[in-house]
Amino acid sequence: FSKVKELSLRLGAISVGRLPMYVGLLDIPKVLEGRFVPYPLSLVGRFLHPIIGVRKKMLRDNTLDIRPIEKFDASFDELWDSMIENRGICVSKNSTYLNWWYIEYSRSHFRCLAAYRGKKLEGFVISCITGIRDGSLLLELFARDNNPDIMKALLLQAVQELKGKRIGHITASFSAGSQAAAVLRELGFKSWGARFWSYPEMIVASPQYDPCPELHLKNWDFSLGDWV
């Protein structure tokens, strides 16, 4: 990739910054086995989980109903409209987009969990299994008013389901200063993507005028679902 990047820059492309990646280790023995550490030596990973694995750090909210959904209805428009005012440069995640990107257009199977308090939608999380080295992706994570407790509840529910399917790790990408990224870090996700998983910088074609500072990723509000 370094040669492609060098050529792109020489042709006038500009770098908008490195995509921050977060990796959560769900089943460390499974991760080690996927990297050719033989059983039973891989079981050493169980002792590492409290140090580097995803951990549970919240009490269950019995007023929150988290359940799978198959389609995004008008309640997702209302949720998005309530959040858009405080977001940076972003893709509009209304029901039309979500249904198109994750249901109609996609060839992958995505799992969406939505959190409700009564009949009111409070947030949602979207994930998928990659089928590569027992990995998975966290594509979207939203909560009304950026409520961290709702994000944690959604994320931990998704993690529990993935662990039940013997998934070793989950990869995510959110703006470094976002509430979603803060929740990931609090639950034990590590910003190891650039070191252990290969993710290039984002490159865009150079405009005919001087690059606007707004193009830098630090001004964007994104998730991994925007890129994959």
Side-chain angles (χ1 to χ4, degrees):
F1 172 77
S2 59
K3 292 184 178 179
V4 174
K5 176 185 172 183
E6 180 183 355
L7 178 60
S8 298
L9 294 174
R10 288 173 59 188
L11 291 174
I14 59 173
S15 170
V16 297
R18 181 169 292 278
L19 199 63
M21 306 302 302
Y22 300 92
V23 177
L25 300 179
L26 313 182
D27 186 336
I28 298 177
K30 191 71 174 176
V31 172
L32 293 176
E33 290 170 17
R35 282 151 182 80
F36 309 109
V37 177
Y39 179 89
L41 187 59
S42 62
L43 294 179
V44 174
R46 292 181 179 176
F47 300 99
L48 297 175
H49 191 88
I51 303 172
I52 61 175
V54 173
R55 49 191 177 269
K56 183 176 180 179
K57 296 185 64 175
M58 65 175 297
L59 297 175
R60 182 176 179 83
D61 183 352
N62 292 323
T63 68
L64 205 61
D65 176 25
I66 298 178
R67 58 181 185 262
I69 62 166
E70 300 295 332
K71 190 173 182 179
F72 303 95
D73 59 24
S75 64
F76 288 84
D77 294 326
E78 186 275 329
L79 177 63
W80 178 252
D81 289 343
S82 73
M83 300 186 297
I84 188 61
E85 183 176 348
N86 297 319
R87 309 196 81 85
I89 302 171
C90 62
V91 175
S92 180
K93 305 290 177 69
N94 56 26
S95 63
T96 300
Y97 170 83
L98 293 171
N99 281 313
W100 168 73
W101 188 238
Y102 290 112
I103 297 177
E104 299 166 10
Y105 173 79
S106 176
R107 296 180 180 178
S108 300
H109 177 68
F110 297 103
R111 175 74 164 175
C112 178
L113 298 174
Y116 294 88
R117 186 167 278 118
K119 295 183 178 181
K120 188 175 183 180
L121 176 66
E122 296 290 347
F124 65 95
V125 60
I126 301 176
S127 62
C128 74
I129 296 173
T130 64
I132 302 174
R133 288 190 175 183
D134 304 304
S136 59
L137 301 176
L138 176 65
L139 300 166
E140 307 286 356
L141 180 61
F142 288 101
R144 189 180 298 277
D145 301 322
N146 274 329
N147 188 311
D149 290 333
I150 294 175
M151 288 187 181
K152 290 177 196 175
L154 284 162
L155 181 53
L156 288 172
Q157 181 66 33
V159 163
Q160 191 65 32
E161 291 188 2
L162 291 168
K163 288 177 68 175
K165 296 178 180 178
R166 294 282 289 158
I167 297 301
H169 66 275
I170 184 168
T171 302
S173 179
F174 295 99
S175 307
S178 67
Q179 183 63 65
V183 165
L184 295 183
R185 292 190 292 266
E186 184 177 347
L187 294 182
F189 280 67
K190 310 298 182 184
S191 55
W192 289 346
R195 190 175 304 173
F196 294 105
W197 277 261
S198 177
Y199 290 95
E201 290 186 346
M202 301 303 298
I203 302 293
V204 299
S206 177
Q208 299 301 315
Y209 48 86
D210 292 335
C212 299
E214 289 80 6
L215 285 176
H216 197 279
L217 277 178
K218 68 181 180 181
N219 298 309
W220 296 16
D221 199 329
F222 57 83
S223 63
L224 189 58
D226 297 342
W227 313 118
V228 298

